[in-house]
């Protein structure tokens, strides 16, 4: 019983909208987009099936202060 490639599905919770979604084998440093609110999330750590993400700074919009 050996699988050369084991797909690891990880669960991610968006820190902005709390939407739960799954991603296949994310890696630290990867930037992903929340499928719900479309914000960019930076993967800061992967532990087993738990993925830590944080919002990335976006300056494409919201120039005002
Ligand atoms: Zn979101």
């Amino acid at each position: 019983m050996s699988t050369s490639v084991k797909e690891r599905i990880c669960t991610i919770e968006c820190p902005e909208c709390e939407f739960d979604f799954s991603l296949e084998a994310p890696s630290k440093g990867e930037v992903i987009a929340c499928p719900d609110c479309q914000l960019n999330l930076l993967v800061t750590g992967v532990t087993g099936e738990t993925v830590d993400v944080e919002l990335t700074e976006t300056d494409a919009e919201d120039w005002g202060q």
Side-chain angles (χ1 to χ4, degrees):
M1 292 176 61
S2 63
T3 52
S4 57
V5 177
K6 183 176 182 179
E7 297 181 353
R8 188 174 58 189
I9 303 300
C10 299
T11 300
I12 300 170
E13 181 179 308
C14 176
E16 177 67 17
C17 67
E18 300 185 340
F19 180 79
D20 290 319
F21 60 100
S22 298
L23 191 69
E24 183 180 321
S27 56
K28 186 177 181 180
E30 187 174 346
V31 176
I32 57 179
C34 173
D36 193 54
C37 67
Q38 307 298 316
L39 289 179
N40 288 327
L41 307 174
L42 173 66
V43 178
T44 57
V46 181
T47 305
E49 297 180 350
T50 302
V51 181
D52 296 319
V53 295
E54 64 181 28
L55 294 173
T56 62
E57 298 291 334
T58 57
D59 54 7
E61 297 179 68
D62 193 20
W63 286 94
Q65 62 169 335

